[in-house]
Amino acid sequence: MIRKIRLKIKDRITRGHPRSVKAKKNIVSSFLYKFISVVLNLAYVPLLINSLGKEEYGIWLVLGSFHSWMNFFDVGLANGLRNRLGEALALEDYQRAQEYVSTT
């Protein structure tokens, strides 16, 4: 029974235009990676509490949350650098490109 379901899923993913097949494979792998990430995070919490203790785990959690928020918001620096650096390189203005990289 499980083999039939697996074959149906595989057939549905591998059927179609090559770009569609690639997109379907990427979607499936993305869900798989997210599932693995959730399972690992659930296993990670008790290990950290046992090894760090409750107070140190709280500090770890605050620092980790702060880091996650900074990554989430990204303050637009990476995208701004990408846009301006591409513009400077297209104009062959290497001095300005160097300034953009060092400033960011």
Side-chain angles (χ1 to χ4, degrees):
M1 180 70 174
I2 294 175
R3 187 174 179 186
K4 279 185 174 182
I5 294 171
R6 190 180 306 156
L7 287 174
K8 281 185 180 183
I9 291 171
K10 186 177 180 182
D11 180 53
R12 188 163 271 212
I13 289 173
T14 57
R15 199 176 351 148
H17 192 272
R19 289 179 68 182
S20 298
V21 171
K22 187 173 184 178
K24 291 175 192 176
K25 286 181 181 179
N26 286 337
I27 290 168
V28 169
S29 66
S30 175
F31 277 115
L32 182 65
Y33 290 139
K34 285 290 185 184
F35 177 75
I36 291 171
S37 174
V38 168
V39 170
L40 288 176
N41 280 327
L42 288 175
Y44 191 59
V45 170
L47 290 173
L48 276 175
I49 291 175
N50 287 335
S51 64
L52 294 176
K54 290 182 180 180
E55 289 182 24
E56 287 84 3
Y57 176 70
I59 294 169
W60 177 265
L61 196 61
V62 168
L63 292 174
S65 297
F66 182 72
H67 180 260
S68 295
W69 277 99
M70 292 304 289
N71 279 337
F72 180 73
F73 286 119
D74 190 18
V75 193
L77 295 176
N79 289 329
L81 173 64
R82 186 178 313 135
N83 293 339
R84 293 296 182 180
L85 183 62
E87 180 182 315
L89 291 175
L91 297 173
E92 297 181 4
D93 189 356
Y94 299 112
Q95 177 64 32
R96 187 172 300 244
Q98 187 176 10
E99 289 172 6
Y100 287 145
V101 170
S102 64
T103 304
T104 302

